[in-house]
Amino acid sequence: SKNLKLLKQEKIRFVWHLAANLAFNQNLKDSKRFKANVVGTQNVVEIANKWDAVLCHCSTAYVCGNSKIFSEESLDKGQVFRNGYEQTKFLGEKVVREKAKVPFVIFRPSLVIDKPTPGKASNCTFGYYRYVFMFYLFRQWLFKSLTRGRFSKLFLNALGTRLDKDGKTIIMPALLLPFPKNIAVNMVPIDYVINTFIKVALNKSAYYKTYNLTNPKPRTFVYMMKILIEDLSIKKAKYVGVSPYVFNQLFKLLYFVVVPWRGYIKSALSYLPYITTSPVFVRKNVNLYNSPPKPLSKDYLNKINNEAITKIFPKIKF
């Protein structure tokens, strides 16, 4: 087109392909996700070839599917994909490797965590906030029941649930929270991802390779869960480790039991593969250009939790 020809005259050095359709619930055939993640990648590769520009393509660490160990050199290991998103991103990587006639780099972030913004957190488009919001709704229901409820307050009181003297903290000794035992959730801050993008792209020696932008020391599910419950001012809860299979079934049961929150639970169900498995991502290429991210600190999680809980979620019309 005319615009593409004009852009070519600008001697563009890099083409960044960061767009993707992350929806998990579409059919792979003729879906928007397939068009974005596969056909869209083909179009971007063609543009990079025409402009003779370095192609920087963002894939996902979860092209690993159900693989337990996945290196930067790995791609087709016969893995089983858990959803169409993983499969189409896998196909997108193949397009880059097979069709690019220019230098390219492929980035594979794991779950990206960012500070909450109205768009990301309120629409729950970042996986982490889907879970934070559900626990927030639970906390709001508890508080409403203890302050204005009748039968619900009697029921909760019978279980030992009460408001503390500060009028905000909820004491709930009967609350049993299951978590997937021995599971770590691989999350990386968006600042680390962007910083690594730049460091790798500016090194010609880095071209024609793939980079796992993952956390070598991911936090366990229960570690993050305990911090969240604390930030929601719920005390005395008990945590029960169960097998990932049992956790999956319990979470699916919520969908049928908690009808008012069904839409949010269905959305969160899409992320079950990423919080009930702990694949090991081997990082060798990326370590040459950027040091690994630090484990997510309690202060960092406190900050993003409280930002969402106090400033973003209260504005959502439920």
Side-chain angles (χ1 to χ4, degrees), residues 17-24 26 28 31-44 57-60 83-96:
H17 185 215
L18 308 179
N21 187 311
L22 280 74
F24 294 159
Q26 297 172 1
L28 181 62
S31 69
K32 292 181 180 179
R33 185 185 58 248
F34 180 84
K35 292 178 181 178
N37 297 349
V38 184
V39 178
T41 299
Q42 291 174 343
N43 294 336
V44 173
H57 173 73
C58 187
S59 181
T60 172
N83 51 60
Y85 170 70
E86 293 180 353
Q87 187 171 16
T88 53
K89 294 300 284 184
F90 165 84
L91 293 173
E93 272 202 36
K94 292 190 73 171
V95 168
V96 172

Side-chain angles (χ1 to χ4, degrees), residues 223 227 231 296-306:
Y223 174 88
I227 291 173
D231 289 338
L296 298 180
S297 68
K298 185 175 185 295
D299 286 344
Y300 178 83
L301 292 169
N302 285 151
K303 184 176 181 180
I304 64 172
N305 286 343
N306 289 320

Side-chain angles (χ1 to χ4, degrees), residues 267-279:
S267 175
L269 283 171
S270 302
Y271 275 79
L272 277 176
Y274 311 111
I275 63 170
T276 55
T277 60
S278 297

Side-chain angles (χ1 to χ4, degrees), residues 208-236:
Y208 301 104
K209 295 178 183 177
T210 302
Y211 299 87
N212 285 343
L213 308 189
T214 54
N215 201 319
K217 294 182 179 180
R219 292 297 190 184
T220 61
F221 184 101
V222 68
Y223 174 88
M224 294 187 287
M225 188 186 206
K226 286 181 177 179
I227 291 173
L228 173 59
I229 296 303
E230 179 184 302
D231 289 338
L232 286 167
S233 298
I234 299 175
K235 304 290 186 181
K236 303 294 184 179

Side-chain angles (χ1 to χ4, degrees), residues 94-132:
K94 292 190 73 171
V95 168
V96 172
R97 293 166 185 258
E98 295 171 4
K99 303 293 184 182
K101 299 176 182 177
V102 294
F104 65 85
V105 289
I106 297 174
F107 298 105
R108 291 178 181 161
S110 53
L111 299 178
V112 180
I113 185 68
D114 187 17
K115 63 181 181 181
T117 60
K120 296 296 183 185
S122 63
N123 293 329
C124 297
T125 54
F126 268 30
Y128 178 72
Y129 294 112
R130 297 170 193 254
Y131 291 94
V132 176

